[in-house]
């Protein structure tokens, strides 16, 4: 048996080569890999010696040769194939170990030149991988160091790699080639080509949206069903998921997550991770029904729950701080579908031991706080439409106190300013049209997803009444401008004393005049947060 090893990432390659050699498998290799193995005392034959043809063109041509591809592609069960190999004195290659030039990491570097990008496009590697993967019954093709241990174990146990493993390796190999080619296509089709071709020794200007978008997602699991029981569904993650995103969560207990659980959990987690102080978000049907900040997990949860206890029933709860026993005991009093936090004390987990259906997810927080979260969120949001997709940059806009513009005679107090920023952060995650009443670092009433902003304002005040919360002295956030003064009148009648909205309406002057007439403060953010 023969194994050809040619890797860019040398992780684990020496140990694999030693295991192959111990099984009596002859080692073939190229360039740097061959030198490494030889330096470790392993007998290795350079591919150039096997082919009788030296590497050339700065290494661009070394494995593109019939002795390589004939050895990979020949079917052992076809006499004519084996006869052709014998006629030309070509040996079979039974194990191929290849990982590709680091194109993805190269183009991810700031200032990557077009020349560097092009030189990191692997040609021979993908060609060999495709040949081996096509002939999977006869060739085990390894494209990632995580696969080495399985192959070593099977060789030690049976002297061969099982067909099941070889087919799995073949599928993984074709997936890797697809991912690799997709990354190359994304990069090259994003290059702006004007009257002249970009210089190779300079970083080209890249379009935010490439000429072809190649989605690369890896299946995490099949789901029991989709939004409804008659729909099939599965969960996929990005090929390279952001640390701390929902798909990196570790489930500590509970039933399998459903499609709706995952969608709601993502909405809750995306919202709560935007706060630098301890915070809790309760989501129901993709909308926050209660959000609060406080000194600890118990305080934040208690305040968030007060907003809308009715909607919180069967909701999704996310905290950005450790869940301790006191908060766990309070949360356990209600019916909760999913509970998320960066960490849980042993005592908190013990509280839920008898509530086996509660899904508990632990998601690590990165260092740096909410600013890093905002910068690290998915660069693109995607929405599927009939026979197409809509792509947009993520709504990562973070509003600072210095961005606010007071447009009324009355000025907000310092306390109101803090609540305005809090309300604005919540409104970003409420389905449009969104109206959010807040006070003292907690939501007091949330109106979401109405066709009329006026109706959202009315619903928010109605919900506050049902929760026995007074809206006197609250601030209000509106995710988009008030087109008429009627929406403003509703929130002021309910008790609001300060309003934040984007501004930009043809009737801004009319709405500002109404605010002055009613004696309330109004602040313009200059940016809206539609969420459809």
């Amino acid at each position: 048996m023969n194994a050809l090893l040619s890797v860019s990432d040398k992780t684990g390659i020496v140990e694999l080569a030693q295991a192959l050699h111990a099984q009596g498998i002859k080692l073939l290799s190229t360039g740097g890999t061959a030198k490494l193995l030889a330096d470790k005392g392993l007998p290795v034959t350079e591919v150039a010696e096997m082919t009788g043809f030296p590497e050339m063109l700065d290494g661009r041509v070394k494995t593109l040769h019939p002795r390589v591809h004939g050895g990979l592609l020949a079917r052992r069960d076809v006499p004519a194939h084996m006869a052709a190999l014998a006629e030309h004195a070509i040996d079979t290659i039974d194990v191929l170990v290849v990982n590709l030039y680091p194109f993805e990491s190269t183009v991810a570097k700031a200032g990557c030149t077009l020349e560097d990008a092009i030189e990191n496009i692997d040609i021979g590697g993908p060609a060999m991988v495709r040949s081996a993967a096509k002939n999977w019954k006869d060739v085990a093709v390894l494209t990632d160091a995580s696969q080495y241990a399985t192959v070593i174990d099977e060789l030690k146990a049976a002297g061969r790699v099982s067909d099941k493993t070889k087919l799995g390796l073949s599928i993984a190999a074709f997936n890797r080639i697809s991912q690799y080619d997709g990354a190359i296509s994304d990069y090259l089709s994003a290059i702006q080509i004007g009257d002249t071709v970009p210089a190779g020794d300079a970083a080209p200007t890249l379009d935010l949206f490439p000429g072809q978008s190649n989605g690369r997602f890896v299946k995490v699991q099949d789901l029991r069903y989709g939004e409804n029981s008659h729909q099939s569904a599965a969960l996929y993650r990005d090929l390279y998921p952001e640390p701390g995103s929902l798909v990196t969560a570790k489930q500590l207990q509970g039933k399998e997550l459903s499609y709706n659980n995952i969608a709601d959990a993502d909405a809750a987690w995306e919202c709560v991770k935007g706060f630098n102080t301890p915070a809790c978000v309760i989501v129901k049907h993709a909308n926050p029904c209660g959000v609060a900040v406080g000194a600890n997990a118990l305080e934040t949860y208690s305040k968030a729950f007060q907003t809308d206890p009715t909607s919180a029933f069967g909701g999704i709860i996310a905290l950005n701080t450790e869940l301790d026993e006191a908060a766990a005991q309070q949360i356990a009093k209600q019916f909760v579908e999913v509970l998320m936090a960066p960490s849980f004390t042993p005592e908190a987990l013990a509280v839920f031991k008898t509530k086996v259906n509660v899904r508990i997810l632990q998601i690590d927080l990165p260092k740096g706080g909410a600013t890093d979260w905002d910068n690290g969120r998915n660069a693109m949001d995607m929405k599927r439409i009939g026979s197409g997709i809509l792509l947009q940059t993520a709504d990562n806009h973070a509003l600072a106190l210095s961005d606010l513009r007071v447009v009324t005679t009355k000025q907000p107090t310092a306390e109101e300013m803090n609540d305005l920023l809090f309300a604005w952060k919540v409104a970003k995650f409420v389905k449009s049209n969104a109206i959010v009443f807040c006070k003292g670092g907690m939501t007091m009433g949330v109106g979401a997803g109405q066709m009329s902003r006026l109706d959202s304002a009315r619903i928010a005040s109605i919900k506050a009444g049902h929760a026995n919360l007074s809206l006197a002295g609250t601030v209000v956030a509106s995710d988009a401008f008030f087109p008429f003064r009627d929406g403003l009148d509703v929130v002021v009648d309910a008790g609001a004393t300060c309003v934040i909205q984007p501004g930009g309406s043809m009737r801004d002057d009319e709405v500002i005049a109404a605010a002055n007439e009613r004696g309330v403060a109004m602040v313009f953010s200059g940016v809206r947060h539609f969420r459809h």
Side-chain angles (χ1 to χ4, degrees), residues 107 109-118 187 191-192 197-206:
V107 298
K109 295 175 184 175
C112 173
T113 66
L114 181 56
E115 172 106 10
D116 285 342
I118 294 297
Y187 173 80
I191 294 175
Q192 294 183 5
V197 174
D201 60 352
T205 301
L206 302 178

Side-chain angles (χ1 to χ4, degrees), residues 3-8 10 27-37 44-48 50-51 55 59 61-64 68 96-98 101 128:
L4 196 162
L5 299 82
S6 180
V7 294
S8 175
K10 307 292 193 291
L27 303 179
L28 309 169
S29 193
T30 60
T33 308
K35 183 178 184 305
L36 173 64
L37 300 183
V44 58
T45 300
E46 288 233 29
V47 167
M50 179 191 74
T51 63
E55 292 185 14
V61 178
K62 49 191 171 186
T63 59
L64 298 171
V68 173
L96 177 72
V97 186
V98 170
Y101 291 175
M128 288 192 293

Side-chain angles (χ1 to χ4, degrees), residues 217 380-392 431 530-532:
F217 303 97
M380 292 288 173
D381 284 338
M382 179 176 71
K383 181 177 292 186
R384 194 74 167 91
I385 61 171
S387 299
I389 60 170
L390 291 170
L391 283 179
Q392 64 174 349
K431 297 286 188 180
F530 276 163
R531 186 177 179 86
H532 291 104

Side-chain angles (χ1 to χ4, degrees), residues 351-373:
V351 170
F352 290 98
K353 283 296 183 185
T354 58
K355 296 183 175 292
V356 295
N357 289 334
V358 176
R359 303 159 177 90
I360 295 181
L361 306 181
Q362 180 177 322
I363 311 178
D364 294 333
L365 286 169
K367 297 177 181 178
T371 300
D372 278 3
W373 277 116

